[in-house]
């Protein structure tokens, strides 16, 4: 360990800052290995601080201090103390100017936090604690300051110089240099600071806000990517309009900029007025980008834009409140995407992600409440729990108080906390005040980790027509609390009852029906006790309960549906999400039969329940259904999901059973698949409307099944599609089929397709990344060796996070049969990569650890091998805080 005893930071220790920074003046002279940053801070003691004579303690790392002065007087060495993480100035007055001059080395910064170089450009990433690698500062989100930034750089190499806010002036200097000054009138914490310098081109547009102000919109990219900016620009304008219409939020500066950067740790960053994006989250055109890629760009552009209010204008008091901005903003972007495209499809995608990955996180060693009580390294808490479960919590508030009260609550929250740093309580209080509803019990969702489990028992009395539904909740133990210590959650249960002919009218016993309720077949029950019984009356038949429609709460539902009941929900319920959910449950059950047979008898022609075939046939033949829904319902649950729901995952059985059922469905429905494929062939101009995406999605699902047929010719359709595709969605879908094909002669077809593809796309980094992903996911034997070989490929480098994720991440997370090979070579391989990345980029290294942290899911043999890979990592003497925290928590018994 670099730091013998890495410190744990606790929420309960939060203290207001001792000092405030009213004005921040930064002056950068950019040089690759010796950038000089001069900072002038107008500081004063914080009247809210507990201390009146505390010394000034500034954060600062990995920099060389050249000078420090207070009110114009340079300090001698006895005036301050310097450590590897802090600069302490013993004596300061109540109000003063602090000047520091430091030298930093962006060229050597491979962590991609702070100021670094990505290819030829300089850029920054300051959230959460990167600003302290740029200059000495109070690098905490509750210190908000007004920033003015001057950038000096070589004019020829770095013609474009950008920072937050509005441009003030620019000009030429001696020695071929030039400068630009930016001023951001909105006070902000340092994590929202940004600087970019490079040779960049831009696409420009204009947006007129609801109050009639003109805003210039610019997307900066390398010249070769100018043809891939339209979709992001269009998404940005839609987001700006949507935030005005749905939340009443108007943009506030004269200019909004996005810069695309190749080397970036995450998707994008919401720096005030100057969002910095991973190229993969902003560039899109039909030739190079799949439909999923287009939708990802739209969602991330919206997410970062929405942060301008939920994150920037109102920021977080401390990093424990991260979900205040992230959960809320994910909820906002999900609603935006739902409004722009298909609401049900968006919900299904989000819930799949949550159930597969967030539920696993919540049940694993890194499980933490949405507001964590402590952390060692905050970068480790940008998690699915904080983001996606956090968004589910906001969604539940929306469900419980209704759309109108929710809007009043968000207005109140923005108005009350504008320009300041808030807490999760502040958000909840605004929602409570606006709705007149107590959310006191509800706030347990923020404090208690783990996924609640809901057990259901039901009873129907034919004589009285009464139906009793008993819901009971429990929550498994997690690192911070045992199951017994957890208190019941406040859970919204959106539901209906299904009868033979469709949804039944709902009347709770003792309740007078509300004449104004438009739909009496849908309602939201509130489960607040450990166990509660709801009695419905006037029911002519025993109904099938449809619970958690739209996934109204992030819980695991335990109800023993019969397969016939699932088919009934699949075909007749009014909620699209529930129909999909029932199709998944049915598929899980049928795949489960085959898993059982495999474990007992090994490979073989095990029977597949005909009910699934007939249910799928009905869905495929129902031309009234949205083709996107058809595709979703017909895609079997992933191996990752089957693993997540298993007590102990049997790697080979899951793999065999899923493939076996897929093949069986391919055989049994071959005509229907072909008809669906032909029905969805598109002619005419390419478009990314929801309808066009839906057709491609069904067509490519059908292609996937058709290519599983055992005869040699069955891959011809994919070959033909690969050769003739006019867009990346179709091309990539065909390539994925060819890469996984195992029919006679498939080897040479695969090699040729991969070669062709690379030759065609080698100059498009993002497409080459997809080429890595598809090969990393190939489930045929020899997967690890293929990945190791690809690591030697000219297009691969461990220094670029996108490449690491595309090859190593995709392999370890998405190719179970090869990663979990019984000899443990996959685990050792991952440990080797993590040890290398630990030195290069700790935050990427730490994220890559996830598959190893799930060791409890596997058989004892694999558990031992996975743990020993983790133990080997823990022995590394120079382990970063990031990796240390995840490995040490994962190994705790
Ligand atoms: N706020 C950033 C995430 C920063 C992650 C730092 N390790 C992107 C986002 O959520 O919008
Ligand atoms: Zn965010």
């Amino acid at each position: 360990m670099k730091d013998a005893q890495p410190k744990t930071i606790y929420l309960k220790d939060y203290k207001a800052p001792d000092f405030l920074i009213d004005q921040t003046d930064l002056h950068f002279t950019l040089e690759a290995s010796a950038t000089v940053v001069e900072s002038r801070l107008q500081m004063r003691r914080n009247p809210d601080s507990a201390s009146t004579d505390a010394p000034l303690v500034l954060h600062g790392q990995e920099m060389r201090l050249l000078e420090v002065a207070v009110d114009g007087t340079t300090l001698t060495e006895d005036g301050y103390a310097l450590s590897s993480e802090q600069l302490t100035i013993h004596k300061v007055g109540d109000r003063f100017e602090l000047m520091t001059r430091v030298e930093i080395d962006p060229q050597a910064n491979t962590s991609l936090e702070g100021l670094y170089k990505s290819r030829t450009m300089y850029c920054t990433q300051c959230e959460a604690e990167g600003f302290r690698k740029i200059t000495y500062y109070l690098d905490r989100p509750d210190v908000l300051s007004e920033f003015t930034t001057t950038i000096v750089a070589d004019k020829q190499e770095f013609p474009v110089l950008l920072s937050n806010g509005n441009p003030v002036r620019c000009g030429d200097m001696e020695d071929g240099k030039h400068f630009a000054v930016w001023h951001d009138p909105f006070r902000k914490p340092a994590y929202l600071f940004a600087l970019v310098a490079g040779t960049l081109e831009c696409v420009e547009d204009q947006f007129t806000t609801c109050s009639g102000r003109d805003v210039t919109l610019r997307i900066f990219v390398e010249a070769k990517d100018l043809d891939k900016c339209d979709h992001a620009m269009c998404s940005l304008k839609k987001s700006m309009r949507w935030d005005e219409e749905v939340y009443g939020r108007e943009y506030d500066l004269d200019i909004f900029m996005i810069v695309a950067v190749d080397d970036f740790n995450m998707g994008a960053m919401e720096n005030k007025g100057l969002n910095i994006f991973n190229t993969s989250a902003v560039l899109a055109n039909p030739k190079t980008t799949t439909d999923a890629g287009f939708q990802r760009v739209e969602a991330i552009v919206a997410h970062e834009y929405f942060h301008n209010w939920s994150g920037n204008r109102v920021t977080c008091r401390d990093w424990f409140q991260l979900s205040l901005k992230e959960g809320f903003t994910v909820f906002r972007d999900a609603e935006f995407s739902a409004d722009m495209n298909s609401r049900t499809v968006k919900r299904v995608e989000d819930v799949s992600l949550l159930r597969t990955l967030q539920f696993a996180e919540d049940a694993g060693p890194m499980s933490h409440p949405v507001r964590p009580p402590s952390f060692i390294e905050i970068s480790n808490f940008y998690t699915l729990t904080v983001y996606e479960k956090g968004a589910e919590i906001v969604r539940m508030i929306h469900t419980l108080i209704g759309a109108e009260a929710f809007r009043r609550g968000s207005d109140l929250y923005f108005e009350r906390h504008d320009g300041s740093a808030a807490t999760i309580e502040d958000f909840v209080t605004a929602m409570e005040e606006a709705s007149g509803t107590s959310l006191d019990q509800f706030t347990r969702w923020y404090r208690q980790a783990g996924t609640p489990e809901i057990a259901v028992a039901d009873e129907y009395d034919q004589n009285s027509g009464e139906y009793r539904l008993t819901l009971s909740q429990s929550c498994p133990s997690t690192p911070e609390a045992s199951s017994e210590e957890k208190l019941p959650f406040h859970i919204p249960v959106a539901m209906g009852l299904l009868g033979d002919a469709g949804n039944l009218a709902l009347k709770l016993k003792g309740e007078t029906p509300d004449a104004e309720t438009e739909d009496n077949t849908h309602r939201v029950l509130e489960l607040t006790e450990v166990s509660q019984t709801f009695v419905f009356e006037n029911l002519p038949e025993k109904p099938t309960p449809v619970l958690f429609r739209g996934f109204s709460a992030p819980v695991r539902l335990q109800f023993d549906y019969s397969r016939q009941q699932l088919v009934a929900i699949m075909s007749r319920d009014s909620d699209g999400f529930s129909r999909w959910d029932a199709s998944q449950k049915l598929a899980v059950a049928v795949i489960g039969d085959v898993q059982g047979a495999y474990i007992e008898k090994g490979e073989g022609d095990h029977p597949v329940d005909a009910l699934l075939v007939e249910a799928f046939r009905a869905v495929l033949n129902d031309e009234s259904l949205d083709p996107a829904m058809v595709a979703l319902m017909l895609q079997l649950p992933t191996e990752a999901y089957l693993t997540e729901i298993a007590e102990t995952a049997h790697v080979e059985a899951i793999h065999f059973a899923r493939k076996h059922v897929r093949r069986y469905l391919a055989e049994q429905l071959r005509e229907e698949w072909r008809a669906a494929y032909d029905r969805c062939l598109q002619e005419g101009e390419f478009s990314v409307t929801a309808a066009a995406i839906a057709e491609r999605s069904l067509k490519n699902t059908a292609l996937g099944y058709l290519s599983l047929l055992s005869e040699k010719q069955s891959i011809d359709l994919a070959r033909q599609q690969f050769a003739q595709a006019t867009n990346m969605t179709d091309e990539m879908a065909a390539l994925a089929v060819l890469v996984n094909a195992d029919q006679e002669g498939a080897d040479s077809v695969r090699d040729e397709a991969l070669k062709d593809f690379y030759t065609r796309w080698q100059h498009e980094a993002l497409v080459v990344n997809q080429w890595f992903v598809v090969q990393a996911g190939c489930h045929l034997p020899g997967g690890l060796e293929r990945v190791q070989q690809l690591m030697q490929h000219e297009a691969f480098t461990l220094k670029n996070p996108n490449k690491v994720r595309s090859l190593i991440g995709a392999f370890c997370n998405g190719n179970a049969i090869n990663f979990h090979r019984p000899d443990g070579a996959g685990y050792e391989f991952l440990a080797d990569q993590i040890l290398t990345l630990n030195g290069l980029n700790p935050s990427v290294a730490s994220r890559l650890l996830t598959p190893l942290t799930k060791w409890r899911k596997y058989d004892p043999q694999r558990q031992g091998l996975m743990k020993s890979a983790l133990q080997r990592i823990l022995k590394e003497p120079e382990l970063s805080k990031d990796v240390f925290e995840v490995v040490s928590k994962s190994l705790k018994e």
Side-chain angles (χ1 to χ4, degrees):
M1 284 292 309
K2 274 184 194 153
D3 196 344
Q5 211 80 64
K7 233 176 72 201
T8 301
I9 320 282
Y10 294 93
L11 166 59
K12 64 179 166 44
D13 294 342
Y14 173 82
K15 283 194 190 68
D18 293 325
F19 293 88
L20 300 175
I21 308 175
D22 292 324
Q23 303 276 338
T24 297
D25 239 294
L26 300 172
H27 188 287
F28 289 81
T29 309
L30 296 176
E31 292 289 345
S33 297
T35 287
V36 174
V37 186
E38 185 174 305
S39 133
R40 281 173 198 279
L41 311 179
Q42 308 306 321
M43 303 193 73
R44 65 186 156 97
R45 285 191 186 273
N46 180 6
D48 296 333
S49 157
S51 156
T52 52
D53 59 355
L56 174 62
V57 183
L58 300 146
H59 302 111
Q61 284 170 10
E62 296 167 35
M63 58 182 86
R64 194 156 75 85
L65 180 63
L66 303 175
E67 187 183 353
V68 49
V70 174
D71 286 332
T73 307
T74 300
L75 302 187
T76 54
E77 279 185 13
D78 54 2
Y80 61 90
L82 207 52
S83 74
S84 61
E85 299 201 341
Q86 283 175 347
L87 166 64
T88 304
I89 301 175
H90 311 302
K91 274 207 193 94
V92 287
D94 290 342
R95 196 175 275 274
F96 54 94
E97 180 189 273
L98 176 77
M99 190 286 287
T100 60
R101 216 151 33 81
V102 300
E103 188 184 282
I104 53 178
D105 185 353
Q107 185 77 60
N109 182 355
T110 57
S111 71
L112 315 187
E113 283 172 1
L115 177 69
Y116 64 94
K117 280 198 86 179
S118 173
R119 290 157 60 93
T120 55
M121 72 175 103
Y122 287 94
C123 61
T124 53
Q125 172 53 36
C126 295
E127 187 177 358
E129 298 181 334
F131 193 75
R132 62 188 64 185
K133 293 180 168 188
I134 293 177
T135 186
Y136 287 104
Y137 204 76
L138 299 179
D139 187 10
R140 44 187 289 169
D142 56 354
V143 172
L144 282 75
S145 182
E146 191 179 323
F147 280 67
T148 306
T149 305
T150 304
I151 312 165
V152 176
D154 183 84
K155 187 171 179 178
Q156 202 163 8
E157 239 187 307
F158 306 103
V160 175
L161 305 175
L162 311 172
S163 191
N164 317 87
N166 298 315
V168 178
R169 61 181 179 279
C170 55
D172 290 342
M173 299 166 72
E174 294 164 357
D175 306 335
K177 293 195 169 166
H178 70 147
F179 75 94
V181 182
W182 290 81
H183 174 247
D184 182 359
F186 292 93
R187 293 186 328 124
K188 65 170 177 289
Y191 84 85
L192 291 172
F193 170 79
L195 176 155
V196 170
T199 304
L200 298 165
E201 303 286 327
C202 88
V203 169
E204 183 169 320
D205 209 326
Q206 202 76 21
F207 180 83
T208 307
T209 70
C210 50
S211 74
R213 276 190 316 101
D214 285 333
V215 180
T216 302
L217 311 176
R218 290 201 180 125
I219 300 181
F220 290 90
V221 293
E222 287 185 35
K224 67 179 174 53
D225 291 324
L226 272 172
D227 61 342
K228 304 186 194 78
C229 298
D230 289 357
H231 182 62
M233 186 61 91
C234 181
S235 305
L236 174 61
K237 288 192 285 183
K238 284 190 202 165
S239 312
M240 295 177 87
R241 194 58 79 213
W242 187 90
D243 214 16
E244 292 182 345
E245 287 170 3
V246 180
Y247 280 86
R249 301 293 115 202
E250 187 179 357
Y251 186 64
D252 45 17
L253 291 162
D254 304 335
I255 181 164
F256 184 86
M257 298 174 282
I258 287 179
V259 182
V261 173
D262 238 341
D263 303 289
F264 205 65
N265 283 348
M266 344 49 79
M269 177 65 211
E270 69 263 26
N271 317 298
K272 182 79 189 188
L274 178 55
N275 286 191
I276 298 185
F277 271 61
N278 188 321
T279 43
S280 76
V282 60
L283 303 180
N285 85 21
K287 291 257 178 285
T288 57
T289 315
T290 61
D291 291 339
F294 268 86
Q295 292 187 323
R296 178 164 181 264
V297 166
E298 182 180 77
I300 300 185
V301 167
H303 179 96
E304 305 310 331
Y305 174 73
F306 296 154
H307 268 316
N308 190 54
W309 275 94
S310 49
N312 301 2
R313 291 285 290 252
V314 180
T315 192
C316 301
R317 187 194 71 173
D318 54 72
W319 291 122
F320 299 100
Q321 320 295 328
L322 183 57
S323 195
L324 173 67
K325 73 178 177 81
E326 296 304 348
F328 187 22
T329 306
V330 171
F331 172 71
R332 276 151 56 68
D333 85 56
E335 284 297 291
F336 166 76
S337 295
D339 283 348
M340 297 300 125
N341 308 291
S342 156
R343 180 162 283 271
T344 308
V345 170
K346 173 67 180 158
R347 191 65 189 137
V348 166
E349 287 165 356
D350 288 352
V351 172
S352 293
L353 178 83
L354 192 86
R355 274 186 183 165
T356 306
L357 300 176
Q358 194 279 324
F359 279 19
E361 182 171 278
D362 231 353
M366 279 297 287
S367 173
H368 54 275
V370 169
R371 176 163 56 194
S374 67
F375 59 76
I376 292 178
E377 169 54 62
I378 184 57
S379 295
N380 286 329
F381 287 80
Y382 286 75
T383 58
L384 289 150
T385 300
V386 165
Y387 276 65
E388 310 327 303
K389 187 174 179 180
E392 293 300 317
I393 297 181
V394 177
R395 180 177 297 279
M396 286 190 284
I397 296 179
H398 188 276
T399 304
L400 286 168
I401 69 176
E404 282 171 23
F406 186 90
R407 169 63 197 271
R408 288 197 300 276
S410 75
D411 284 352
L412 181 60
Y413 167 73
F414 286 129
E415 190 191 328
R416 192 178 271 173
H417 301 287
D418 189 10
S420 69
T423 61
I424 283 170
E425 276 87 9
D426 293 330
F427 179 79
V428 174
T429 302
M431 291 295 165
E432 284 184 312
E433 286 182 23
S435 64
T437 308
S438 166
L439 294 172
D440 193 37
Q441 177 182 356
F442 182 84
T443 58
R444 288 177 192 156
W445 280 106
Y446 287 107
R447 292 190 300 272
Q448 297 184 152
T451 306
E453 289 169 6
I454 311 297
V456 182
D458 67 342
E459 207 183 320
Y460 176 66
D461 180 353
Q462 194 147 19
N463 295 330
S464 62
E466 275 183 16
Y467 177 68
R468 299 168 68 82
L469 188 64
T470 302
L471 305 180
S472 311
Q473 56 167 310
S474 61
C475 187
S477 299
T478 42
E480 91 297 349
S482 71
S483 175
E484 296 73 44
E485 287 168 303
K486 293 188 184 174
L487 298 167
F489 291 88
H490 181 172
I491 303 174
V493 187
M495 55 85 63
L497 296 176
L498 193 60
D500 279 346
N503 289 122
L504 301 167
L506 303 175
K507 185 182 170 303
L508 276 179
K509 195 171 177 179
E511 203 180 56
T512 349
D514 183 352
E516 280 174 30
T517 312
E518 280 163 31
D519 177 8
N520 64 357
T521 64
H522 179 86
R523 64 180 299 155
V524 179
L525 305 175
E526 296 190 27
L527 174 63
T528 53
E529 310 289 329
V530 172
S531 184
Q532 244 166 293
T533 300
F534 300 89
V535 183
F536 295 90
E537 51 187 16
N538 303 343
L539 288 163
E541 57 184 307
K542 177 167 187 182
T544 293
V546 186
L547 301 170
F548 297 100
R549 275 187 177 153
F551 202 62
S552 63
V555 298
R556 288 180 206 264
L557 172 65
Q558 293 157 348
F559 183 71
D560 209 4
Y561 284 108
S562 71
R563 294 184 185 187
Q564 277 74 18
Q565 282 181 309
L566 292 172
V567 172
I569 300 176
M570 258 179 94
S571 51
R572 290 203 296 280
D573 193 56
S574 57
D575 178 45
F577 170 82
S578 294
R579 294 177 72 171
W580 168 80
D581 195 23
S583 76
Q584 293 291 290
K585 285 198 172 84
L586 182 63
V588 165
V590 173
I591 294 171
D593 297 342
V594 181
Q595 275 175 242
Y598 175 92
I599 292 170
E600 209 183 308
K601 304 184 198 143
E603 290 194 8
D605 194 13
H606 303 302
V608 176
D609 190 342
L611 203 60
L612 184 70
V613 179
E614 291 323 309
F616 271 34
R617 194 190 311 275
V619 172
L620 257 175
N621 286 338
D622 185 348
E623 288 189 36
S624 71
L625 273 174
D626 171 4
M629 272 307 289
V630 176
L632 284 172
M633 288 172 82
L634 301 183
Q635 281 158 19
L636 295 184
T638 60
E639 288 187 22
Y641 180 66
L642 295 167
T643 301
E644 208 291 310
I645 57 173
E647 190 70 34
T648 300
H650 192 306
V651 177
E652 288 81 8
I654 288 176
H655 182 70
F656 173 83
R658 185 176 184 277
K659 200 162 79 183
H660 182 77
V661 173
R662 261 170 72 74
R663 286 230 151 101
Y664 190 75
L665 289 164
E667 293 283 356
Q668 298 297 310
L669 300 171
R670 55 166 78 210
E671 268 92 53
E672 284 84 352
W673 293 123
R674 184 65 212 214
Y677 184 89
D678 291 340
R679 200 161 70 227
C680 294
L681 282 173
Q682 294 168 335
E683 276 158 26
E685 207 158 309
F686 177 89
S687 90
V688 279
T689 56
I693 292 177
E695 279 190 341
R696 284 191 288 277
S697 168
L698 178 53
K699 179 183 68 184
N700 288 320
T701 302
L703 178 72
Y705 277 102
L706 288 166
S707 312
L708 291 171
L709 295 168
S710 55
E711 61 267 19
K712 200 169 159 221
Q713 302 81 337
S714 64
I715 57 171
D716 289 352
L717 193 59
R719 277 176 90 168
Q720 188 190 334
Q721 179 169 319
F722 182 70
Q724 295 170 359
T726 55
N727 62 76
M728 189 47 77
T729 305
D730 288 345
E731 191 171 339
M732 193 47 85
L735 182 65
V737 161
L738 297 177
V739 162
N740 284 291
D742 57 3
Q743 290 89 340
E744 194 196 326
D747 285 2
S748 59
V749 177
R750 171 175 48 250
D751 293 347
E752 204 180 311
L754 284 169
K755 208 167 107 213
D756 271 13
F757 189 91
Y758 184 73
T759 313
R760 191 152 63 242
W761 295 113
Q762 58 186 311
H763 302 299
E764 295 285 355
L766 297 174
V767 182
V768 172
N769 291 349
Q770 291 310 303
W771 181 78
F772 282 131
V773 171
V774 88
Q775 294 179 82
C778 170
H779 58 70
L780 299 174
L784 177 59
E785 289 73 12
R786 282 192 297 275
V787 169
Q788 282 168 324
Q789 214 166 9
L790 282 167
M791 284 183 67
Q792 308 306 318
H793 193 275
E794 57 174 8
F796 186 81
T797 161
L798 274 176
K799 289 200 171 148
N800 177 274
N802 289 351
K803 307 253 180 243
V804 172
R805 285 186 281 259
S806 300
L807 189 56
I808 305 172
F811 174 69
C812 301
N813 289 292
N815 192 344
I817 196 74
N818 278 297
F819 173 63
H820 288 283
R821 55 189 247 185
D823 65 359
Y827 311 145
E828 291 306 319
F829 163 77
L830 179 54
D832 289 342
Q833 306 318 316
I834 286 166
L835 286 168
T836 310
L837 283 161
N838 172 63
L840 280 174
N841 187 328
S843 99
V844 167
S846 162
R847 271 169 192 274
L848 212 56
L849 271 164
T850 309
L852 283 177
T853 67
K854 296 181 179 165
W855 56 267
R856 282 182 183 78
K857 269 279 165 212
Y858 297 92
D859 54 81
Q861 175 84 12
R862 285 188 169 96
Q863 287 199 4
L865 294 165
M866 292 171 91
K867 279 198 280 185
S868 89
L870 286 167
Q871 273 146 358
R872 179 157 71 89
I873 299 173
L874 199 58
K875 287 202 192 106
E876 157 68 38
E878 291 281 298
L879 215 52
S880 60
K881 281 202 279 187
D882 312 54
V883 174
F884 171 78
E885 179 168 34
V886 177
V887 175
S888 58
K889 288 184 175 171
S890 299
L891 283 169
K892 269 208 189 103
E893 286 299 335

